[in-house]
Amino acid sequence: MAGDANLRHGVATALEGGVGWLWQPVLAAFCVVGLRAWRLAVVLGRPMGLAMVRLSALHQTANLLLPLKLGELALPLLIRREGARGFAGGLGALVAIRLWDLAVLGVAGALALALAAPQVAPGVAGLIWAAGGIGVLAVAVGIAAAPRLSAWLAGRHGAGFGHGLTARLWAVAHGAFAHDRAMLLGILATTAGAWLAVFTGFHLVAANIGATPNFAASTLGAIASSLAFALPINGVGTIGPAQIAYAAAMALFGVPFEAALATALVWHAAAVATTVAVAAPWLPTLLAHRPR
């Protein structure tokens, strides 16, 4: 990737006008960290505070730095160590977070693609708008049905989960889906806010180096990158497929591959540096007292 795309030249070109604007993506990255910590607090039913920032930042740090998505396991382990839930309940919280991530990305992707359709897929904007509308309705139905599902799962919880495999699966389901409407609206709002901050971070970098036509294009590139990031195919530091996916999506808009790749790498560096900086005060504690 570095050799074929002349990566060094691409990054140098991206930063040749100075680095004074880098505070913009860094600020967006801080917003991502804060909103994801707030979402975790909503999912766990805990007040927002330093404990949620610690759990979320450590989880994000592990997810950014470890290969094969091994960092995902950090969240249920950290939740168990915190005493908020058992491992199965923590795993359920992770499932809830990722399901809502997919829901928001799906709707956002349909909206961004519909806005960009005249340029990349003429004649299909109506179909894409319809798909996005169906996605919004599905989310609304899920929120409307939440009290009944939550009550049913709470009934199972009241009977006790036990210790067998089936009981643990029920605990995961309870952690993933036993949310009332207020909690779901909070999860939806914080998830949408966090992804909007991610899209904005990509766009700020791209706009400062002249590598995007508009916000919709940057959003599509960010979604492509995020979907690639979700696959267990990224190397150490999650560098590789996620950045190539962003560059490939931006190629649909005529953005040079090197410029798009440089955009993705600069945003990734800002996100990693910010997340690790937030998690840094608690890393020694994590290493000294590993969850078992």
Side-chain angles (χ1 to χ4, degrees):
M1 180 180 69
D4 293 342
N6 196 358
L7 181 58
R8 182 178 299 177
H9 174 71
V11 173
T13 301
L15 302 178
E16 67 182 1
V19 296
W21 53 269
L22 285 177
W23 67 269
Q24 299 172 5
V26 168
L27 179 60
F30 272 116
C31 290
V32 173
V33 173
L35 285 164
R36 285 178 173 167
W38 192 2
R39 175 179 63 181
L40 182 59
V42 175
V43 170
L44 295 178
R46 294 295 185 92
M48 174 59 177
L50 280 179
M52 295 298 105
V53 175
R54 179 177 70 251
L55 290 179
S56 183
L58 288 172
H59 171 227
Q60 291 179 60
T61 297
N63 222 10
L64 285 167
L65 299 181
L66 296 179
L68 302 175
K69 305 307 295 177
L70 293 174
E72 291 285 29
L73 290 174
L75 184 60
L77 289 171
L78 289 165
I79 289 173
R80 184 182 69 177
R81 194 181 71 174
E82 188 73 17
R85 290 182 181 178
F87 181 82
L91 186 59
L94 177 62
V95 170
I97 287 171
R98 292 299 171 240
L99 286 176
W100 281 102
D101 278 337
L102 286 174
V104 169
L105 284 177
V107 173
L111 175 60
L113 189 56
L115 293 173
Q119 185 173 350
V120 298
V124 300
L127 292 175
I128 299 170
W129 278 112
I134 292 172
V136 171
L137 286 175
V139 171
V141 168
I143 292 175
R148 184 171 297 180
L149 178 60
S150 185
W152 182 63
L153 288 170
R156 299 288 308 191
H157 178 45
F161 289 137
H163 301 286
L165 175 61
T166 302
R168 293 184 184 279
L169 290 175
W170 276 111
V172 173
H174 187 271
F177 301 111
H179 305 119
D180 59 28
R181 287 176 185 167
M183 289 179 68
L184 283 180
L185 289 173
I187 296 169
L188 177 59
T190 50
T191 300
W195 281 113
L196 180 59
V198 171
F199 303 154
T200 301
F202 271 101
H203 182 68
L204 287 170
V205 177
N208 274 286
I209 66 176
T212 182
N214 50 52
F215 189 80
S218 299
T219 297
L220 283 175
I223 292 173
S225 176
S226 300
L227 292 176
F229 177 83
L231 299 174
I233 55 176
N234 292 284
V236 176
T238 58
I239 293 177
Q243 290 75 33
I244 292 176
Y246 175 84
M250 295 306 290
L252 297 174
F253 301 92
V255 177
F257 187 79
E258 287 82 359
L261 192 59
T263 296
L265 287 169
V266 171
W267 164 248
H268 184 68
V272 170
T274 302
T275 304
V276 173
V278 173
W282 299 294
L283 285 176
T285 302
L286 177 66
L287 296 174
H289 304 285
R290 294 186 298 273
R292 292 178 289 178

